[in-house]
Amino acid sequence: DAKTTQPNSMESNEEEPVHLPCNHSTISGTDYIHWYRQLPSQGPEYVIHGLTSNVNNRMASLAIAEDRKSSTLILHRATLRDAAVYYCTLAYSGAGSYQLTFGKGTKLSVIP
Amino acid sequence: DTGVSQNPRHKITKRGQNVTFRCDPISEHNRLYWYRQTLGQGPEFLTYFQNEAQLEKSRLLSDRFSAERPKGSFSTLEIQRTEQGDSAMYLCASSLVQLNEQFFGPGTRLTVL
């Protein structure tokens, strides 16, 4: 299964942009890149996903490298509510399940 | 609240006992997933249902684990003869269309003494 690698932790000042990197050098051509975040004692929450092109939604932007071996989640203005563990995951299509393969994630701290 | 619900939220059991967890997905979602998460790790895929059919199971899933989804609605995950290594958060997620977002429940935290 393809794996993802992320920094263990990152810090950001409130209201500044945050760039969260992810490496997935063994990604296959059909794997989608998904990002989820998780607050303590809660299940993961979907943030954004993409295949090849950069994507934007109300929560964040996703920049995908041309070779698809890395991606970056961009939070345009970090708030205290964005403090969470962010997971870069690959949606693996085994038997059509599109199961998510999670790494260890990046713990984002937001400094007021 | 129309999100994914899981019961119980916490379960403490003694080694060797059987436990069963329930997941109620979002009503129109036909895909249901079970994941397991240990401290400091990301969730790990266990099994997947499309409607009532269990279509995939992780190679790591012990034969002590069994899951059902009768009538394609709620799902149960049973662990027989629990071991201390089974202590983890068990997460359920559902989705409507492949590749779209999965909606996760709050999880059931299992502690095996």
Side-chain angles (χ1 to χ4, degrees):
Chain A
D1 294 347
K3 304 295 184 187
T4 61
T5 305
Q6 300 175 252
N8 289 334
S9 62
M10 291 184 65
E11 277 188 354
S12 173
N13 293 319
E14 194 176 10
E15 298 191 1
E16 290 189 354
V18 183
H19 291 233
L20 298 167
C22 179
N23 287 318
H24 29 78
S25 58
T26 59
I27 190 171
S28 74
T30 56
D31 286 343
Y32 276 68
I33 302 159
H34 287 235
W35 283 79
Y36 283 75
R37 69 182 186 183
Q38 187 173 27
L39 296 170
S41 301
Q42 295 187 21
E45 174 191 27
Y46 170 85
V47 177
I48 199 167
H49 79 280
L51 183 62
T52 57
S53 302
N54 295 344
V55 183
N56 300 296
N57 67 19
R58 63 175 178 82
M59 290 181 69
S61 295
L62 176 59
I64 301 172
E66 192 170 341
D67 63 6
R68 296 202 342 117
K69 292 185 176 181
S70 65
S71 61
T72 301
L73 178 71
I74 303 165
L75 306 179
H76 296 287
R77 289 180 67 228
T79 70
L80 296 179
R81 289 178 298 178
D82 291 324
V85 177
Y86 285 79
Y87 293 102
C88 167
T89 76
L90 301 179
Y92 168 66
S93 175
S97 68
Y98 297 97
Q99 60 178 274
L100 298 172
T101 302
F102 289 82
K104 294 186 178 181
T106 295
K107 183 175 183 179
L108 175 66
S109 300
V110 179
I111 303 167
Chain B
D1 188 345
T2 57
V4 178
S5 61
Q6 294 188 245
N7 288 288
R9 293 292 309 276
H10 303 273
K11 178 70 176 179
I12 300 174
T13 191
K14 293 182 178 179
R15 188 176 53 186
Q17 298 295 306
N18 300 343
V19 294
T20 299
F21 310 141
R22 176 178 172 126
C23 170
D24 287 272
I26 294 172
S27 59
E28 66 270 24
H29 285 188
N30 56 1
R31 291 174 173 241
L32 187 146
Y33 305 79
W34 284 98
Y35 293 85
R36 175 173 62 191
Q37 185 175 27
T38 54
L39 198 62
Q41 304 293 318
E44 172 190 35
F45 171 77
L46 293 179
T47 190
Y48 152 72
F49 289 84
Q50 181 160 315
N51 300 312
E52 67 276 8
Q54 187 175 18
L55 296 184
E56 191 168 357
K57 292 194 294 185
S58 167
R59 295 187 299 273
L60 303 175
L61 196 62
S62 161
D63 57 7
R64 297 183 294 105
F65 287 67
S66 62
E68 294 183 340
R69 193 183 182 196
K71 303 179 183 178
S73 56
F74 71 92
S75 176
T76 58
L77 178 68
E78 181 183 16
I79 309 174
Q80 295 183 326
R81 305 180 304 280
T82 53
E83 302 172 355
Q84 287 185 327
D86 296 332
S87 295
M89 177 74 82
Y90 290 84
L91 293 161
C92 174
S94 69
S95 70
L96 182 58
V97 177
Q98 67 190 35
L99 302 182
N100 280 2
E101 60 185 289
Q102 293 185 19
F103 292 82
F104 282 81
T108 295
R109 180 167 296 283
L110 172 67
T111 302
V112 181
L113 302 177

